[in-house]
Amino acid sequence: MRSWSAPDITRLPGESVPLRLYDTAARRVRQTDPGPTARMYVCGITPYDATHLGHANTYLAFDLVGRVWRDNGHEVHYTQNATDVDDPLLERAEQTGQDWRALAEREIELFRTDMTALRMIPPQEYVGVTEVIDRVAALVERLRPLTYDLDGDVYFSRADAPKFGEVSGYSEAEMLALSAERGGDPDRPGKRDPLDWLLWRAERPGEPAWDSSLGRGRPGWHIECTAIALDHLGAGFDVAGGGSDLIYPHHECGASEGHAATGEWPFARFYTHAGMVALDGEKMSKSKGNLVFVSRLRAEHDPMAVRLVLLAHHYRADWEYTPDQLADAEARLDLWRRAVASGRGPHAEELLATVRQRLADDLDAPGAVAAFDDWARKALDGEGEQPTDLAAKVADTLLGVKL
């Protein structure tokens, strides 16, 4: 599955600042310490509807991670998946009378177009689960000592996962509730433990299925990301990322699978999560239909203003979108562009240092944006006689805002 086109990234002068990032598993902010190549896996979309602002909020967070790492001189090996076969996709296709493959491909193409417009640096590998059925089946076979069969389905036994619960830190009651809410089946009769999770789903009538050593069927949700991450990044990669709704069960289960398959812990050195975006008082979600689609916003507004809406919020915060935020972002974009176009302003070296410091401090994008606001106002007030080229590069390279 193809990725999307990458924006040009210009190396900036001066001393960069190492990235400190919140690790959900450690429950604290700590410094990342990648080798020459920083490895990052971010969980991708289930393509049964268009990309909404909540998705963009998540992918912006990890776009910033990659930008800060690149500014620190690291190569970035970034992998992302697309869950292009799953229950929600099949249900939507049936409801609308579409072929599920065509629905998935159309929404994946729209996602790529949206990400390009928002100047998200693309992953090196963008992998659909339908492309790696054999790899997933092989990983399930590798986990066989920790699994059991139930009517042809293969389940992972959480009792055999000694680190289970360490990523989320959630209680048993919290995990049971979230399992039921987020695609699990804690009440299925015959399971050894309600929190055991599905690795391989045996073929059902009318559902897509593939031949494998496990019989005809398709992967469970969590195992696909584990298999793709292992194939492309290996165990002990630097960051596993996604929205905070993936902490449990998705990342918790994936961490146990990776540990069981390799013997290494942690499976990812950081588990980092973006907050949820709400609309009309509820989390933006496809199931509720309270969505603000990126494609619609960028059809009517400059995509850089949409990006600035996201940059105005800290990535870990839960926040609610209102149209006035887009109006504010358009005014900010106009301020920045007029300041750069003026050709003269204060020294941008101080701006660069401040933006670096703010982003390195757990991606404090609002602080970086405020620093650029201050520089832009001073430039328009006639302060300073320095060229504005460096300021434009700071916005472009570190914040991803093309002026």
Side-chain angles (χ1 to χ4, degrees), residues 230-245:
L230 278 173
D231 275 358
H232 293 286
L233 302 176
F237 57 96
D238 293 287
V239 168
S244 59
D245 54 349

Side-chain angles (χ1 to χ4, degrees), residues 99-127:
D99 179 83
W100 64 271
R101 300 170 191 84
L103 173 60
E105 181 52 40
R106 186 181 73 239
E107 298 303 341
I108 287 169
E109 179 57 30
L110 182 56
F111 171 76
R112 287 187 286 234
T113 304
D114 287 340
M115 295 299 101
T116 300
L118 294 181
R119 301 194 76 251
M120 306 290 188
I121 300 173
Q124 184 170 330
E125 294 94 13
Y126 186 50
V127 186

Side-chain angles (χ1 to χ4, degrees), residues 1-212:
M1 185 177 291
R2 66 181 178 83
S3 190
W4 54 92
S5 59
D8 292 331
I9 300 296
T10 304
R11 280 301 298 275
L12 296 173
E15 187 174 349
S16 57
V17 185
L19 174 63
R20 299 174 67 247
L21 203 58
Y22 186 84
D23 178 12
T24 300
R27 327 285 185 245
R28 61 184 176 87
V29 174
R30 57 193 187 89
Q31 186 169 307
T32 63
D33 185 25
T37 299
R39 297 172 294 159
M40 177 168 63
Y41 186 94
V42 180
C43 298
I45 60 167
T46 301
Y48 64 94
D49 212 337
T51 310
H52 59 71
L53 206 58
H55 291 134
N57 186 63
T58 293
Y59 298 117
L60 176 84
F62 297 99
D63 182 69
L64 293 177
V65 169
R67 287 173 184 273
V68 175
W69 275 340
R70 288 178 176 88
D71 189 50
N72 275 272
H74 302 286
E75 297 292 325
V76 178
H77 189 166
Y78 174 19
T79 303
Q80 189 181 133
N81 74 305
T83 305
D84 59 349
V85 61
D86 199 18
D87 289 347
L89 172 65
L90 301 177
E91 291 164 5
R92 178 62 60 85
E94 184 176 1
Q95 290 166 5
T96 56
Q98 301 176 77
D99 179 83
W100 64 271
R101 300 170 191 84
L103 173 60
E105 181 52 40
R106 186 181 73 239
E107 298 303 341
I108 287 169
E109 179 57 30
L110 182 56
F111 171 76
R112 287 187 286 234
T113 304
D114 287 340
M115 295 299 101
T116 300
L118 294 181
R119 301 194 76 251
M120 306 290 188
I121 300 173
Q124 184 170 330
E125 294 94 13
Y126 186 50
V127 186
V129 65
T130 58
E131 300 175 296
V132 292
I133 299 293
D134 290 345
R135 301 298 301 150
V136 172
L139 179 57
V140 175
E141 292 282 22
R142 192 170 164 187
L143 297 173
R144 270 300 197 183
L146 308 178
T147 70
Y148 61 92
D149 290 359
L150 180 57
D151 300 328
D153 297 337
V154 180
Y155 278 85
F156 191 104
S157 172
R158 59 76 64 96
D160 295 314
K163 301 289 189 179
F164 184 78
E166 291 195 10
V167 171
S168 67
Y170 292 162
S171 68
E172 187 93 356
E174 288 173 313
M175 288 191 284
L176 282 168
L178 290 173
S179 177
E181 176 187 323
R182 297 174 179 171
D185 55 1
D187 298 325
R188 181 177 180 179
K191 289 177 65 174
R192 296 177 184 175
D193 186 296
L195 295 180
D196 293 345
W197 64 92
L198 184 69
L199 298 180
W200 185 261
R201 178 180 171 89
E203 183 177 19
R204 266 69 160 174
E207 292 188 2
W210 288 261
D211 292 323
S212 78

